[in-house]
Amino acid sequence: MSSTPHVTRATSDGAAWLASAGTYPRSTLALWRERPDAPLVLPCGTAFDVISAPAVFGRRMLDRLWDDGPGSGPVAVVRGRTLLFAAPGTAQRLPSLMAWEEWGSQRADAVPSLLCHGTGDAVTVPALDSGDSPATGGCRWLVAPDTRHPWLPGPEVMLWAAVRAARAAVRISIFPRADQDAKVYDVSRRR
């Protein structure tokens, strides 16, 4: 049972924060007032960065953030991917941290590649009130923005969540697989 909050509707403060990412925040808010069910494309890099993971792995990361960690910022599901909103600069720093952690050297199905969207990138964000309506096409908030200044995890927290999610998905060993027909002796207790 996950302790992830079930906030699927963005508040007016959350909408103002999202709109602040764009060049014309008042126009964005006016559009959302006219069509609150419309998803929008917003630029990354000023108010937030976005880490995009395959849906199942992203959900595992979200569970780790809420069950064992400090929580998360806003989180959305768009086109089969989980979008985890992070502090500005995370998209630039996270790839080098993942390389240092030797991310991707393990089994590819347990450790998927993460897409980092930062300065110069844009992402589709769900409608303010996406809910579970089929009209949204699977574009919805898992954790909607509800404050004007939400807490956003940085690159270290995102790396921590990704590593924990990968470990939960599969047992990762530093030892190579033993030959199935080989006789293996436990020498760890030997003096």
Side-chain angles (χ1 to χ4, degrees):
M1 183 79 180
S2 174
S3 60
T4 306
H6 298 289
V7 183
T8 59
R9 184 182 188 330
T11 63
S12 60
D13 284 342
W17 172 72
L18 283 169
S20 72
T23 308
Y24 304 104
R26 290 187 301 191
S27 298
T28 302
L29 287 173
L31 177 63
W32 260 332
R33 272 193 286 278
E34 287 178 26
R35 297 198 52 217
D37 59 338
L40 289 178
V41 176
L42 294 175
C44 300
T46 55
F48 55 81
D49 281 359
V50 172
I51 307 305
S52 174
V56 173
F57 189 78
R59 184 58 197 225
R60 285 185 190 133
M61 285 179 64
L62 180 61
D63 288 345
R64 294 289 64 79
L65 285 167
W66 281 100
D67 292 345
D68 304 329
S72 72
V75 179
V77 174
V78 177
R79 295 185 196 106
R81 298 204 51 101
T82 302
L83 306 180
L84 297 124
F85 286 68
T90 299
Q92 181 180 359
R93 180 79 175 114
L94 186 59
S96 61
L97 290 175
M98 291 182 342
W100 180 78
E101 189 70 31
E102 296 180 1
W103 191 261
S105 64
Q106 307 297 328
R107 288 183 32 200
D109 58 338
V111 185
S113 62
L114 302 177
L115 304 177
C116 300
H117 303 286
T119 304
D121 297 327
V123 294
T124 301
V125 297
L128 297 180
D129 186 11
S130 57
D132 288 327
S133 166
T136 62
C139 182
R140 63 188 176 90
W141 291 106
L142 293 178
V143 180
D146 59 353
T147 66
R148 185 73 165 103
H149 302 285
W151 178 79
L152 297 171
E156 295 84 5
V157 173
M158 297 304 276
L159 177 68
W160 174 88
V163 168
R164 294 298 188 279
R167 287 182 184 161
V170 65
R171 180 168 161 72
I172 298 174
S173 175
I174 61 171
F175 301 105
R177 289 186 170 202
D179 184 9
Q180 297 300 327
D181 296 328
K183 293 184 179 180
V184 179
Y185 301 98
D186 183 6
V187 294
S188 60
R189 298 180 189 210
R190 221 177 212 182
R191 291 187 181 199

